[in-house]
Amino acid sequence: MVTVQTLAPADGATGPDGAPSSAPTGAGAPLRLPVALALAVAAGLALLAAFPLYGLWWTAPIGVALLAVAVRGRRLRAGFGLGLITGAVFFGPLLAWTNLHVGYAPWILLTLFQATYLGLLGLALAWVSPLARRRPWVWPSAIALLWVAQEALRDRAPFGGFPWGRLAFSQADAPTLALAGYGGAPLVTFAVAAAGGLLAYALGELIAARAWTRAAAATAGALAVTLLGLVLPATTPDGPTVTVAVVQGNVPRLGLDFNAQRQAVLNNHVAATMELAEQVRTGQAKQPDLVVWPENASDIDPLRNPSAADAINTAARAINAPILVGAVLSGPEPGQSRNAGLVWPADLAPGAQPEQMYLKQHPVPFAEYLPLRPIVEPIAQAITNQAKLLRTDFVAGTAPGVLTMGPAKVGDVICFEVAYDDVVRDTVLAGAQLLAVQTNNATFDESEAMQQMAMVRLRAVEHGRDSLMASTVGVSGFVTADGNVHDASGFNTAAVLVRDLHLGSGTTPATNAGPWPEYLLTLAALALLIAAGVARRRRAAPVEDTGQAVSA
């Protein structure tokens, strides 16, 4: 007699390209490809709907869940492809404002590049599927951890990253916004993705027709995670109030060529400030303690151009308050520029120059400087004829933008810097009592401005600081430390806003923790990927089958 042994495939064993070696069943079984494709597209649309201008924040966890269900149990390359589709559907419309004045090619390239990160997320979710089949409770936490890790990578690489479209930035009107004060944007993303992970678990149970009670419990868990912020106390500024004026001077017309009319832009902001001064004189408006002009309010270097300096001097003396002027400065070397916030005192002596300035620390690659210019410039010019407009590279500053303006220490953050966790936190730790985001939306549209305002709202809650956004064309407005927007201006119009804001000196748990929540969640995601690799390679021990015998 010869004993025949059969080897039972281990749960999670894989074949070529990471595919399961035997077809899984139940909640872990991959959906039919047409269904998975439809879910991937729906996931991108749901993510998009959560962001301004739509603002349906509750669709973000639904998008997370749909992508997870689409990729679960699939081959790695299929997971990547489905994630890429979700990313393209999501980022394409979200970033459509980038094509308004530079053509379609840069927008398409940026969309595809950002979508690649969701492709990697889809691959990672497919990778951990075998582990989730063995331990179903892992699936919701895996989804949440991998979302945080994906955003951590996308926020940093390459060339300093591009954090637009983080799940956290879709939650300005959601209860989950309160979590920003405890762990910053990464914790908000984790909560949204965890809610989505619980919904994905519930969907898996329903698809497998296995357990309505577990599906209901998971759905209730998703709701509980979403509403957790309602019971968390918020940090509010406890300092005195200051009266702040924001001047939105508008530009002669939208588009990149507005810089050719930079004198008119400066004149608009001077004239609006002079009009405010007249209203103060007649008692129609309150005397401001400080005034904020937006980024690019003076594209004529006032440190080198006497007429620009005289115009700003006139406005500052008239309003009798320091003005934070967004200015483009030449140098320090030929072919270089600086994006600056200058504190222009009301009593600046004739011929003197302001002593306080903040230089933007995070210039935008391909918009404010060309990385690897000798290599990239010919390629950029071949893609778009607007590349020739970037004749100089903006030099990065090295210090946080804490500026003394009258009774307040103002934290200056310029434009896209509001999307970067470290830039804003360093400003608060350096002593900023309120946050001022100077931006220029004249080359974009209202959706970009509203997306940026959502980021300001998160930062206000994250650090417990009253904040403001000053734009050349809108949207400008004030944001209190609870995340609520006040006195928001319209888009593509002139406006002057005046409001009392509270100064803050304390720190929130998020400010104190800094990047550690993101570091720990990302490390947990890496550990999960390693554990999934072990699960995918495990083979069952040989099992003797005594029920089969053949004669020798």
Side-chain angles (χ1 to χ4, degrees):
M1 298 283 291
V2 177
T3 300
V4 178
Q5 291 182 333
T6 59
L7 298 181
D11 186 11
T14 58
D17 190 31
S21 59
S22 59
T25 60
L31 300 173
R32 294 175 59 245
L33 184 57
V35 176
L37 287 170
L39 289 183
V41 171
L45 293 175
L47 292 171
L48 175 66
F51 286 79
L53 294 168
Y54 310 103
L56 304 177
W57 57 266
W58 46 271
T59 65
I62 295 175
V64 171
L66 292 176
L67 175 60
V69 172
V71 303
R72 183 168 184 175
R74 309 207 78 88
R75 293 177 180 269
L76 300 185
R77 62 171 175 260
F80 178 84
L82 291 168
L84 188 69
I85 290 171
T86 295
V89 173
F90 169 47
F91 283 111
L94 185 78
L95 303 176
W97 44 265
T98 62
N99 74 22
L100 294 180
H101 304 289
V102 297
Y104 288 101
W107 164 55
I108 293 172
L109 290 174
L110 179 61
T111 294
L112 292 177
F113 190 80
Q114 293 299 298
T116 300
Y117 289 93
L118 288 193
L120 294 174
L121 174 63
L123 183 151
L125 290 170
W127 175 259
V128 302
S129 292
L131 181 63
R133 276 202 311 278
R134 293 168 61 90
R135 300 174 177 84
W137 54 268
V138 169
W139 189 229
S141 56
I143 294 168
L145 291 171
L146 292 173
W147 266 97
V148 173
Q150 172 264 141
E151 289 189 354
L153 176 63
R154 188 164 64 84
D155 297 350
R156 292 169 172 80
F159 309 119
F162 186 67
W164 225 265
R166 297 168 75 178
L167 288 181
F169 295 152
S170 70
Q171 301 295 292
D173 291 310
T176 44
L177 182 67
L179 296 172
Y182 292 84
L187 183 60
V188 178
T189 286
F190 179 81
V192 175
L198 289 165
L199 290 178
Y201 178 87
L203 282 172
E205 293 296 320
L206 293 177
I207 291 170
R210 297 203 310 184
W212 288 85
T213 54
R214 284 200 294 266
T219 303
L223 184 62
V225 170
T226 301
L227 298 179
L228 175 63
L230 294 177
V231 300
L232 295 176
T235 301
T236 56
D238 55 1
T241 61
V242 293
T243 303
V244 183
V246 170
V247 176
Q248 178 179 303
N250 207 10
V251 301
R253 63 178 181 268
L254 298 182
L256 286 176
D257 61 347
F258 96 94
N259 286 311
Q261 306 168 68
R262 55 191 184 274
Q263 183 66 57
V265 176
L266 174 58
N267 291 344
N268 283 355
H269 287 84
V270 170
T273 305
M274 298 289 287
E275 182 178 349
L276 174 61
E278 179 61 21
Q279 292 175 351
V280 170
R281 189 186 67 80
T282 59
Q284 301 175 61
K286 191 174 180 179
Q287 170 65 49
D289 295 303
L290 58 105
V291 179
V292 180
W293 288 4
E295 178 189 29
N296 294 113
S298 179
D299 276 350
I300 303 172
D301 185 347
L303 302 185
R304 300 192 179 196
N305 188 295
S307 64
D310 289 343
I312 300 172
N313 266 330
T314 299
R317 286 194 295 267
I319 196 61
N320 193 30
I323 302 175
L324 180 58
V325 179
V328 174
L329 309 179
S330 302
E333 301 294 334
Q336 294 179 337
S337 299
R338 292 164 291 168
N339 194 341
L342 301 173
V343 177
W344 210 279
D347 57 355
L348 189 66
Q353 293 190 343
E355 297 179 354
Q356 294 186 80
M357 99 171 45
Y358 167 63
L359 297 181
K360 186 176 183 179
Q361 300 174 77
H362 205 298
V364 181
F366 305 102
E368 292 179 310
Y369 75 99
L370 280 182
L372 309 173
R373 180 178 282 273
I375 300 172
V376 171
E377 188 169 32
I379 300 173
Q381 289 178 347
I383 293 174
T384 172
N385 58 10
Q386 299 291 345
K388 64 180 181 294
L389 295 176
L390 195 59
R391 290 186 287 268
T392 64
D393 288 329
F394 280 74
V395 179
T398 58
V402 180
L403 307 168
T404 301
M405 299 186 67
K409 291 187 180 298
V410 177
D412 189 15
V413 177
I414 298 180
C415 200
F416 284 14
E417 286 187 324
V418 71
Y420 295 90
D421 298 344
D422 57 336
V423 173
V424 184
R425 176 176 181 262
D426 289 348
T427 301
V428 173
L429 289 178
Q433 297 171 305
L434 61 86
L435 296 174
V437 179
Q438 296 178 290
T439 186
N440 171 25
N441 306 111
T443 54
F444 305 126
D445 64 14
E446 188 174 4
S447 65
E448 185 273 344
M450 293 302 296
Q451 291 165 17
Q452 204 167 23
M453 179 63 83
M455 299 178 196
V456 179
R457 297 174 67 181
L458 183 138
R459 298 307 181 193
V461 174
E462 180 180 11
H463 299 293
R465 292 292 188 274
D466 283 358
S467 306
L468 63 91
M469 187 164 93
S471 170
T472 47
V473 299
V475 175
S476 301
F478 300 102
V479 179
T480 45
D482 56 6
N484 289 319
V485 180
H486 305 271
D487 307 328
S489 67
F491 189 74
N492 195 20
T493 185
V496 176
L497 315 174
V498 181
R499 189 175 184 86
D500 288 346
L501 297 178
H502 286 271
L503 301 181
S505 57
T507 55
T508 65
T511 308
N512 294 328
W516 281 105
E518 185 175 52
Y519 289 166
L520 294 175
L521 292 171
T522 301
L523 285 174
L526 293 175
L528 179 69
L529 292 173
I530 294 171
V534 173
R536 295 176 71 89
R537 287 163 176 76
R538 184 177 297 150
R539 296 292 186 270
V543 178
E544 184 174 346
D545 188 347
T546 57
Q548 297 184 33
V550 281
S551 298

